[in-house]
Amino acid sequence: QVQLVESGGGLVQPGGSLRLSCAASGIIFSINAMGWYRQAPGKERELVADQSMVGSTNYADSVKGRFTISRDNALNTVYLQMDSLKPEDTAVYYCHAFHRLKNYWGQGTQVTVSS
């Protein structure tokens, strides 16, 4: 099985930046896709960004131009660089992986954007 551990969340002021990391561990040959979802209070979980093994990326419209996803395939790690953060970015961010036709989720890391 795959275990996902997120890190890098915290409190930041509007306009600030955070970098999230997610490392996958376990018996792994490769992970087909990794990405980030988030869930804000009162809202459904939504895709933020994901990236395939070959580098294809997908972003939510709300974060395009501000967030950047990257991936280190050798380390089975995915990153989310978040710039120009807004209060509406406040949410629990979840790492996601798709591996051998199965979905895996991290436990989430809190990102709070507030003055």
Side-chain angles (χ1 to χ4, degrees):
Q1 61 177 313
V2 176
Q3 295 180 343
L4 304 175
V5 180
E6 304 103 331
S7 63
L11 175 65
V12 65
Q13 295 183 1
S17 298
L18 285 174
R19 182 172 181 260
L20 305 183
S21 299
C22 174
S25 63
I27 307 301
I28 304 171
F29 291 100
S30 63
I31 298 178
N32 293 323
M34 297 186 71
W36 294 91
Y37 290 70
R38 68 185 182 187
Q39 187 166 21
K43 298 180 65 177
E44 296 183 353
R45 187 175 298 186
E46 64 175 350
L47 173 70
V48 178
D50 62 13
Q51 187 169 47
S52 71
M53 179 71 72
V54 297
S56 178
T57 58
N58 184 38
Y59 294 92
D61 289 340
S62 60
V63 307
K64 287 181 178 178
R66 300 189 298 118
F67 291 9
T68 303
I69 188 170
S70 61
R71 182 175 176 178
D72 188 333
N73 290 328
L75 298 177
N76 286 322
T77 301
V78 66
Y79 307 91
L80 186 67
Q81 178 67 43
M82 304 185 293
D83 298 319
S84 301
L85 283 162
K86 304 175 181 179
E88 51 263 43
D89 294 318
T90 296
V92 177
Y93 284 70
Y94 296 90
C95 182
H96 169 261
F98 185 68
H99 178 61
R100 295 181 178 176
L101 304 181
K102 296 181 179 180
N103 290 289
Y104 297 89
W105 296 92
Q107 293 188 347
T109 184
Q110 177 70 48
V111 172
T112 302
V113 184
S114 176
S115 298

